[in-house]
C-alpha cells in the first residue's frame, strides 16, 4: 500500500504533523506539497505532478491529509477524471477544510509565517478568489473514507464538518484542537479502513 500525505495551511514539506503521522500511524507517506498562498488550480496541478511521479500503478494507495491538505486531496479525487489520474482506494482526513473561501478569508493580504520553514508568505485576493473553482461534491462511493474531527477545533466548525461528512465517511471524533499532537489513536482505525478495500 502506498500512502500520500498533504500538509495543513501554514506548513510545508517535513512539517511537524508529518512526523507525528508517520510515528502515530506507523506509515511513511510521500508528501504532496502545495504553495501556501498559491493559486488553487496551480496548486492542484502541482500536487498531481508530484503524485504521478511517485505513484506505482500496480499498487493500491491511500491519501492521508491534514486540514487544507485534506481539502486538496479531496479535490484531487473530485478532479481525477479531468486530471486523468486514478482515485485512491481509501482516504483518511484529519480536520479537513470544507469551505476554503470561508476558512482562508481572514488571511487575505496579511503576512503569514510558514511554521515549518519560518518564511513569510501572503495569500493575496486573487489567490483567495481562485478557491471558487473548488468542487463541493460527494467523493466517489468506491473510495473508503475516514474523517477525523476534533470537537474542540478552534479553526474549523466541527458541527458543520460532521454534518457534511457523516453522509460519505466514517466519522471519528476526538477532544483535541485543530492541531493533533498524537495520531496513535488513529492507527487501528486506519488499518480497519484499509481492510475494507
Amino acid at each position: 500500500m502506498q500512502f500520500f500525505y498533504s500538509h495543513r495551511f501554514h506548513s510545508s514539506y517535513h512539517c511537524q504533523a508529518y512526523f507525528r503521522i508517520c510515528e502515530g500511524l506507523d506509515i511513511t507517506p510521500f508528501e504532496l506539497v502545495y504553495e501556501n498562498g498559491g493559486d488553487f488550480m496551480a496548486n492542484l496541478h502541482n500536487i498531481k505532478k508530484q503524485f504521478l511521479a511517485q505513484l506505482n500503478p500496480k499498487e493500491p494507495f491511500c491519501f492521508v491529509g491534514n486540514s487544507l491538505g485534506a481539502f486538496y486531496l479531496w479535490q484531487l479525487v473530485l478532479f481525477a477524471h479531468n486530471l486523468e489520474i486514478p482515485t485512491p482506494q481509501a482516504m483518511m482526513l484529519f480536520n479537513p477544510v470544507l469551505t476554503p473561501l470561508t476558512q482562508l478569508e481572514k488571511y487575505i493580504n496579511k503576512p503569514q509565517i510558514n511554521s515549518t520553514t519560518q518564511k513569510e508568505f501572503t495569500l493575496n485576493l486573487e489567490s483567495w478568489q481562485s478557491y471558487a473553482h473548488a468542487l463541493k461534491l460527494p467523493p466517489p462511493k468506491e473510495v473508503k473514507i475516514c474523517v477525523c474531527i476534533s470537537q474542540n477545533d478552534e479553526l474549523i466548525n466541527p458541527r458543520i464538518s460532521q454534518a457534511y461528512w457523516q453522509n460519505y465517511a466514517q466519522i471519528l471524533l476526538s477532544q483535541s484542537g485543530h492541531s493533533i499532537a498524537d495520531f496513535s489513536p488513529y492507527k487501528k482505525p486506519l488499518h480497519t479502513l484499509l481492510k475494507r478495500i
Side-chain angles (χ1 to χ4, degrees):
M1 172 72 69
Q2 278 191 294
F3 293 93
F4 294 89
Y5 169 78
S6 191
H7 56 86
R8 62 181 282 189
F9 194 62
H10 288 106
S11 61
S12 56
Y13 181 74
H14 273 24
C15 63
Q16 190 177 48
Y18 171 75
F19 293 109
R20 289 176 178 169
I21 279 175
C22 289
E23 181 180 355
L25 301 183
D26 195 22
I27 61 174
T28 307
F30 180 82
E31 296 179 78
L32 301 175
V33 180
Y34 59 89
E35 180 189 350
N36 281 297
D39 176 86
F40 166 69
M41 290 304 294
N43 276 340
L44 197 64
H45 281 278
N46 188 25
I47 289 173
K48 169 201 165 177
K49 287 179 187 175
Q50 296 169 57
F51 166 65
L52 288 178
Q54 295 299 318
L55 178 67
N56 179 348
K58 296 180 180 178
E59 197 173 348
F61 64 94
C62 175
F63 284 160
V64 179
N66 197 11
S67 189
L68 191 63
F71 166 80
Y72 268 111
L73 296 178
W74 173 37
Q75 292 298 304
L76 207 58
V77 170
L78 296 183
F79 279 97
H81 179 72
N82 291 343
L83 296 174
E84 298 180 341
I85 58 172
T87 55
Q89 284 72 23
M91 293 197 304
M92 191 159 204
L93 308 178
F94 294 94
N95 296 321
V97 166
L98 188 62
T99 54
L101 287 172
T102 302
Q103 291 303 128
L104 299 176
E105 184 177 21
K106 60 182 169 275
Y107 302 119
I108 299 171
N109 292 329
K110 295 177 182 174
Q112 302 294 311
I113 298 294
N114 183 315
S115 62
T116 310
T117 65
Q118 302 307 310
K119 292 182 180 176
E120 192 174 285
F121 71 93
T122 302
L123 175 71
N124 63 35
L125 182 62
E126 186 178 0
S127 291
W128 173 75
Q129 289 172 335
S130 72
Y131 282 90
H133 296 291
L135 301 176
K136 192 174 178 185
L137 300 170
K141 290 182 180 178
E142 63 269 17
V143 180
K144 306 301 180 199
I145 304 171
C146 181
V147 174
C148 309
I149 298 172
S150 298
Q151 293 183 297
N152 296 314
D153 195 321
E154 65 281 9
L155 299 177
I156 297 172
N157 187 320
R159 289 176 48 197
I160 293 173
S161 291
Q162 186 172 355
Y164 179 82
W165 285 107
Q166 69 185 352
N167 298 307
Y168 313 113
Q170 173 192 357
I171 302 288
L172 294 178
L173 300 175
S174 77
Q175 297 302 313
S176 67
H178 188 72
S179 182
I180 299 171
D182 181 13
F183 287 89
S184 61
Y186 302 105
K187 181 178 177 179
K188 186 175 179 180
L190 173 63
H191 290 287
T192 301
L193 177 71
L194 298 179
K195 286 178 184 175
R196 293 169 50 204
I197 297 172

